[in-house]
Amino acid sequence: MPLIMSRPWKHPKTGIYQLRRAVPEDLRALVGKREEKVSLQTRDPAEAKQRFATALAELEVRWANLRAGPKPLAESEAHHLAVAEHNSWLKTYSDNPSQQNRWDVRLGDWLFGARGSAPLLEPGSFRSDSSQEWLKIRLMEQECLETAKRYLATHGIHDDWLNQQTMARAVGAAIQRACLTLLKLARGETLPQFAFSLTRLPAGPPASQAPLQVTSFQDLLDGWKAERRPVAKTIYEWSRVVRELEKYLGHTDARRLTSENLVDWKRALVTAGLRAKTIQGAKLSPVRAILQWGVQNKLLSSNAAEGISLDVKAKQGERKRSFTDEEAKVVLRAALAEQDPVKRWVPWIGAYTGARLSEICQLRREDVLKIEDVWCVKFVPEAGSLKTSGSERIVPVHPALIESGLLGFVAQVKSGPLFAELSPDKFGKRGGNGTKMIGRFVRQLGLKDPRLSPSHSWRHRIKTLGRKHGLAQDILNSITGHRSTSVADSYGEFPVEALFRELCKIPALELT
């Protein structure tokens, strides 16, 4: 039997305190487990003690309700419980009350069959025969019902149909009151000071009033990007992730986020069919980063995303692979026949440098030059943003590129971008539209294998060929812009002569 924990329990890995309590034997069948665990969402021992007392009171009230068995929920009890929802809405939107657009106060008094007077309604502003407004009423009722079920479950109250309806009406009334207050605040009206208290439970001790503190996910993202100064595409993608999370949660307050919320969100993303790598790298990682910035800047007490991850090991048949010799020949032969500079040269440069497509598409005339009598290509941030600091590098021009006529093409460009006719995307990157163009070009050649990436498989190929022909590993990493595998590899420089010597070990493909 688990020990009864009379004080907060500190998780040995995360350092976050929890309430742990053995479920009484007579309640285990109803609770469905032997021990209750509730995260206190803090690493501060003093704060954990305060939260522990409140959480324990809530737990004991729920157990008492479960022991009492099914009984009708009185309206007064329902309204008492719904105070928490009222305070939650005020806390979320009080700084910017005009941003509250989830709840329509014109319709709030018409829920659940109530057709009483609505003092804020202007004559003719609500048409009872409007199908759209009736639909909105039904959606608002559904939100109240889902919230009511959560409150009933939290407090151990029997969730029969009658109790659900009683609680849902109380929730709707609480939200309506809160939104009417927000409407007045949005108009600039002066209101008496209102308190944002914690939920007062029937058997619980009085909770102290808490000051209004709201930290939105957007606040965290704005602070993070001001310090890190990421590229425009990252800002766009992370902002979209934040909006997705807010939509899933139904609120914008990062302080209300729990690890359980994120586990549920992760489960929903898996159910929606997203790949593990996408969920881990493009969803959870951005959220974890901005929450950590909030912790470091004393805006949050803990990072709710800490320890939440997903196994991203590629499944059989999903891992990206190199172009084979035959596939490479198909692409390069087709490129030779193209008049469009992007289709003509981007695949060839990728084939013999292993550079990223975005790096190639942003090359300028001045990035192709002679260094120590060796023609080279420079990948530098002046041409456009690079993925990492190690991506800034010099790569010798392979003899196959010279023989194919690359230097003649470059000489025709007086200055500026080599692919000036390739329009930048909304982030100012030519690589965005270049990726689409090359993707269609390669797929139209009959190379349909999903493990092939029309642009990135050249990077896989150059690594494969480097191993096959015995290129020095540190030099191969320097050519592709991959991070060194050891501190020793980062010492010294990579002479162009050495880079050229190693690159020439990779033979040119015979296309005839």
Side-chain angles (χ1 to χ4, degrees):
M1 176 177 178
L3 294 175
I4 296 178
M5 305 294 292
S6 59
R7 59 184 182 275
W9 179 80
K10 184 178 181 180
H11 195 285
K13 292 185 178 180
T14 66
I16 297 175
Y17 285 94
Q18 294 180 351
L19 178 152
R20 295 183 63 179
R21 198 77 167 177
V23 178
E25 193 166 349
D26 63 315
L27 293 178
R28 287 178 185 170
L30 293 173
V31 175
K33 51 189 172 183
R34 298 175 61 87
E35 184 182 19
E36 292 273 14
K37 295 180 182 179
V38 180
S39 174
L40 300 177
Q41 295 294 308
T42 183
R43 293 187 177 87
D44 180 57
E47 187 175 4
K49 289 181 180 179
Q50 296 178 357
R51 297 187 181 186
F52 179 85
T54 301
L56 183 58
E58 293 177 357
L59 181 62
E60 289 176 346
V61 167
R62 179 153 61 90
W63 285 353
N65 287 327
L66 287 173
R67 282 194 177 97
K71 64 177 183 178
L73 177 67
E75 290 183 4
S76 59
E77 292 177 306
H79 285 299
H80 185 81
L81 293 175
V83 169
E85 193 67 16
H86 171 273
N87 291 351
S88 174
W89 280 70
L90 288 179
K91 185 177 180 181
T92 300
Y93 294 107
S94 60
D95 280 349
N96 298 288
S98 62
Q99 292 182 6
Q100 192 291 113
N101 54 19
R102 288 170 51 201
W103 186 268
D104 192 334
V105 294
R106 299 176 309 118
L107 310 180
D109 289 322
W110 291 70
L111 270 57
F112 300 104
R115 296 295 180 261
S117 61
L120 286 187
L121 292 180
E122 298 294 334
S125 64
F126 172 64
R127 301 187 309 278
S128 59
D129 60 343
S130 169
S131 59
Q132 289 186 348
E133 288 171 326
W134 280 119
L135 175 59
K136 194 164 188 178
I137 286 175
R138 294 294 173 262
L139 293 175
M140 292 166 69
E141 290 176 343
Q142 183 63 33
E143 181 175 357
C144 292
L145 190 59
E146 294 299 324
T147 303
K149 291 178 181 177
R150 188 176 75 247
Y151 276 101
L152 294 176
T154 299
H155 297 290
I157 301 172
H158 188 62
D159 63 344
D160 59 21
W161 182 86
L162 183 60
N163 282 354
Q164 289 178 10
Q165 292 294 309
T166 301
M167 190 68 227
R169 288 190 180 94
V171 168
I175 297 174
Q176 177 74 352
R177 292 196 310 274
C179 290
L180 289 174
T181 300
L182 292 169
L183 186 61
K184 294 178 181 179
L185 290 174
R187 293 170 177 168
E189 295 185 26
T190 303
L191 301 177
Q193 183 67 29
F194 46 84
F196 297 90
S197 61
L198 299 174
T199 306
R200 296 182 184 272
L201 300 169
S208 59
Q209 291 185 345
L212 173 60
Q213 289 184 322
V214 177
T215 300
S216 71
F217 293 105
Q218 188 62 50
D219 292 336
L220 300 182
L221 180 58
D222 289 343
W224 175 86
K225 70 184 182 184
E227 285 190 9
R228 303 299 175 86
R229 294 182 294 176
V231 297
K233 186 176 182 181
T234 298
I235 295 173
Y236 171 80
E237 291 176 345
W238 285 33
S239 297
R240 187 171 59 180
V241 171
V242 165
R243 299 291 86 76
E244 290 174 2
L245 179 59
E246 290 175 340
K247 183 177 180 181
Y248 178 81
L249 296 173
H251 66 81
T252 62
D253 188 0
R255 289 174 178 267
R256 292 171 56 189
L257 180 70
T258 66
S259 55
E260 289 79 8
N261 292 152
L262 287 176
V263 170
D264 290 342
W265 186 46
K266 180 183 74 170
R267 189 179 297 114
L269 295 174
V270 172
T271 303
L274 273 67
R275 295 179 59 189
K277 186 175 181 181
T278 300
I279 297 173
Q280 177 73 355
K283 306 294 183 183
L284 294 176
S285 291
V287 172
R288 185 181 298 110
I290 65 170
L291 293 178
Q292 188 59 34
W293 182 90
V295 172
Q296 293 168 350
N297 288 272
K298 311 303 181 184
L299 297 174
L300 300 176
S301 60
S302 63
N303 186 341
E306 188 173 348
I308 298 175
S309 61
L310 201 64
D311 187 357
V312 296
K313 292 180 181 179
K315 296 181 180 179
Q316 294 181 0
E318 288 186 349
R319 185 176 179 180
K320 297 300 180 184
R321 66 173 178 84
S322 312
F323 285 114
T324 64
D325 283 355
E326 291 305 314
E327 289 166 339
K329 289 177 183 179
V330 169
V331 177
L332 297 184
R333 284 195 197 103
L336 282 175
E338 287 291 335
Q339 297 298 316
D340 185 287
V342 176
K343 296 178 183 177
R344 170 63 184 88
W345 288 109
V346 169
W348 273 79
I349 296 173
Y352 289 102
T353 65
R356 301 175 179 89
L357 186 141
S358 60
E359 296 172 336
I360 299 171
C361 289
Q362 67 192 22
L363 283 173
R364 305 165 300 169
R365 170 64 180 84
E366 51 268 39
D367 296 327
V368 183
L369 70 167
K370 258 191 175 183
I371 302 175
E372 299 176 8
D373 290 329
V374 176
W375 280 102
C376 298
V377 177
K378 290 196 307 182
F379 297 100
V380 292
E382 289 78 11
S385 60
L386 301 174
K387 185 173 183 179
T388 66
S389 59
S391 299
E392 184 175 356
R393 63 198 186 279
I394 294 173
V395 180
V397 177
H398 192 281
L401 286 174
I402 296 176
E403 185 177 346
S404 182
L406 175 64
L407 298 181
F409 163 68
V410 172
Q412 295 174 9
V413 181
K414 294 183 180 180
S415 64
L418 294 182
F419 305 103
E421 295 182 1
L422 180 60
S423 60
D425 60 15
K426 59 184 175 182
F427 307 110
K429 301 274 291 182
R430 286 186 166 83
N433 290 325
T435 298
K436 297 175 184 177
M437 181 183 296
I438 295 300
R440 291 191 293 266
F441 170 64
V442 171
R443 295 305 186 195
Q444 288 170 359
L445 298 175
L447 303 179
K448 305 292 187 181
D449 187 346
R451 294 173 297 170
L452 276 179
S453 169
S455 55
H456 214 64
S457 284
W458 293 120
R459 282 178 67 74
H460 285 267
R461 177 175 170 80
I462 206 77
K463 298 290 280 194
T464 300
L465 293 176
R467 298 180 183 112
K468 179 178 180 180
H469 297 286
L471 274 68
Q473 184 61 48
D474 59 339
I475 290 183
L476 181 59
N477 286 338
S478 176
I479 290 171
T480 57
H482 283 127
R483 186 172 297 174
S484 300
T485 56
S486 69
V487 175
D489 288 343
S490 65
Y491 278 54
E493 289 76 37
F494 292 93
V496 168
E497 180 182 356
L499 294 170
F500 186 65
R501 180 194 67 229
E502 294 299 300
L503 189 60
C504 286
K505 291 181 180 179
I506 297 176
L509 272 175
E510 294 292 337
L511 301 183
T512 56

